[in-house]
Amino acid sequence: MGIEHSFWRAIAVYRIASLAYAALLLASAGGYARPVVGWLIIGVMALWTAVTSLAYATARSRTLLVLDVLVTLGCLLSSPYIQGPGAGPAGVMPITATWIGGPVLAWAVHAGRRAGAVAAIILSLCDIWLRGSGGFGHLSVPINGSVLLVLSGAVVGHVARLTKQAEERLQRATEMEAAGRERERLARGIHDSVLQVLALVKRRGLEIGGEAAELGRLAGEQEAALREMVRGEPPAAGPEESGLTDVGALLRRYGSATVTVSTPATPIPMPSRRAREVVAAVGAALDNVRAHCGDDARAWVLAEADDARVTVTVRDEGPGIPAGRLAEAEAEGRLGVAQSIRGRIAGLGGVVGIVSTPGQGTEVEMTVPVPGPGPSRRLRARLRR
């Protein structure tokens, strides 16, 4: 993420500046017990600054963050050995100086304000312990730096988290804008081709009459639905949009000389929109039967229901689906099964199972959960009337 990467670059700059400050303090200090060891610790700090600056720019793991705190603690705890046991109680700044803020900022940016505050508390307690000459009994030890360190970890962590959330929202808004532009582009292409063809079929069908009139009517319905989809508007709600619809009654409309529909004797109530989607998926399955098995092919539709789910099975005795044919059809852009059946049912939170044996037919099982508690007997009785 671009903004987060800027945080890590800022931490790297802070580490380098703090390292220079610690080296300057050591160079200007006098009377240290072991100044040579102090320069060795400065070298370790420089090496670790280089390692973390490169590592945090590419990979940021919790293991690296924990090592960052441990290395900083090790350098901090070396201060009494380098400066002498009396330097801490005398108020002399540890050898690390402000360099100990590096892991605090790293934890804050990576995991938020709580992690930053915890890292700051750990390092602050160690600093106070050193200034108290190995104990916490000296309550006169100044703790202003420790308070500032904890506040820095919490504030930077909070700002970093808010910045990440803002960047994610901006990314989503950008994607939505791109999707809107793509919708407009597709809408122009659809308007110039598909919608005009549907309008022509509707007009010519009504002019010819007979069976062509029915074809024209269907083309007109599809033209209206497609225009609503292109505009990005939901279909107009019918009178039963917010009520319940008997799925069994809708399925029985598919019954014909070649299609046998079996439903329970009692109604199968579902929210109207979900019921229409289930019935549309069944219609798509029956369309596949006619397309691949012939107009005279026999098909059977079986509907079952309980308080938790509705299951509809469409079975035929056609040639079956060869292995891998559905994947090939989807790759070729033929999305009858992928979208009209599986897509619809998946949109309702259901699942589709397809069992096909070459030469023995195909069985499509669609299972859709019923939201909320199961319908009561009163609702079933109302639908039955």
Side-chain angles (χ1 to χ4, degrees):
M1 298 172 64
I3 297 179
E4 184 178 359
H5 188 66
S6 299
F7 274 107
W8 293 108
R9 285 204 305 268
I11 292 175
V13 172
Y14 171 84
R15 286 178 181 272
I16 295 172
S18 297
L19 176 65
Y21 179 58
L24 179 63
L25 290 180
L26 180 59
S28 60
Y32 277 8
R34 298 174 178 84
V36 175
V37 180
W39 285 110
L40 290 176
I41 293 299
I42 293 294
V44 172
M45 292 165 56
L47 178 62
W48 188 247
T49 297
V51 169
T52 53
S53 298
L54 294 175
Y56 285 142
T58 56
R60 292 174 284 274
S61 64
R62 289 188 177 270
T63 301
L64 179 61
L65 289 162
V66 171
L67 285 176
D68 198 0
V69 173
L70 294 179
V71 170
T72 304
L73 282 174
C75 295
L76 180 62
L77 290 173
S78 67
S79 297
Y81 180 76
I82 296 168
Q83 298 172 331
V92 178
M93 185 173 291
I95 189 70
T96 53
T98 58
W99 191 76
I100 64 173
V104 173
L105 298 178
W107 272 102
V109 171
H110 178 75
R113 60 181 181 272
R114 292 185 181 88
V118 170
I121 291 172
I122 293 173
L123 292 168
S124 297
L125 289 176
C126 181
D127 182 33
I128 294 174
W129 182 77
L130 291 177
R131 291 172 183 266
S133 188
F136 293 100
H138 298 271
L139 298 179
S140 61
V141 174
I143 60 172
N144 292 341
S146 300
V147 173
L148 289 176
L149 189 62
V150 174
L151 291 177
S152 298
V155 172
V156 170
H158 184 64
V159 172
R161 182 60 55 87
L162 291 178
T163 304
K164 292 177 186 177
Q165 293 175 353
E167 187 177 31
E168 291 173 357
R169 293 192 183 100
L170 178 61
Q171 179 66 24
R172 288 196 296 268
T174 302
E175 293 174 354
M176 292 175 63
E177 182 181 1
R181 289 196 299 267
E182 180 65 13
R183 177 187 291 274
E184 292 176 357
R185 186 187 68 81
L186 292 174
R188 291 192 295 269
I190 291 173
H191 182 271
D192 294 338
S193 57
V194 180
L195 289 176
Q196 292 182 2
V197 171
L198 290 174
L200 177 61
V201 172
K202 174 185 176 182
R203 186 172 62 254
R204 293 293 296 160
L206 295 177
E207 291 175 355
I208 296 173
E211 295 183 357
E214 177 64 16
L215 180 61
R217 184 187 66 79
L218 294 175
E221 293 177 356
Q222 295 304 312
E223 179 193 6
L226 187 55
R227 287 187 185 278
E228 290 178 349
M229 292 177 61
V230 167
R231 290 197 300 266
E233 300 175 355
E240 295 181 342
E241 183 65 33
S242 59
L244 294 175
T245 299
D246 182 8
V247 177
L250 296 180
L251 290 175
R252 284 192 289 272
R253 298 176 184 176
Y254 287 125
S256 66
T258 58
V259 178
T260 301
V261 179
S262 300
T263 63
T266 57
I268 307 175
M270 286 185 70
S272 298
R273 187 189 67 82
R274 297 175 68 86
R276 287 196 295 270
E277 288 293 291
V278 171
V279 173
V282 173
L286 292 174
D287 289 341
N288 285 338
V289 173
R290 285 189 291 270
H292 300 287
C293 304
D295 293 336
D296 298 330
R298 294 297 306 274
W300 292 263
V301 178
L302 173 63
E304 302 172 287
D306 55 31
D307 289 342
R309 65 188 62 83
V310 172
T311 302
V312 182
T313 304
V314 178
R315 181 174 60 86
D316 65 69
E317 293 183 346
I321 304 175
R325 182 67 189 109
L326 292 178
E328 292 177 3
E330 186 172 354
E332 295 170 357
R334 303 173 64 181
L335 306 178
V337 174
Q339 295 295 336
S340 297
I341 300 178
R342 283 179 171 155
R344 275 194 171 98
I345 300 303
L348 302 176
V351 294
V352 176
I354 299 178
V355 178
S356 182
T357 303
Q360 299 182 18
T362 301
E363 181 176 288
V364 180
E365 183 181 84
M366 295 165 273
T367 302
V368 178
V370 177
S376 65
R377 294 181 180 177
R378 183 181 302 173
L379 290 174
R380 293 182 184 272
R382 186 189 307 168
L383 285 172
R384 190 180 296 113
R385 290 196 297 270

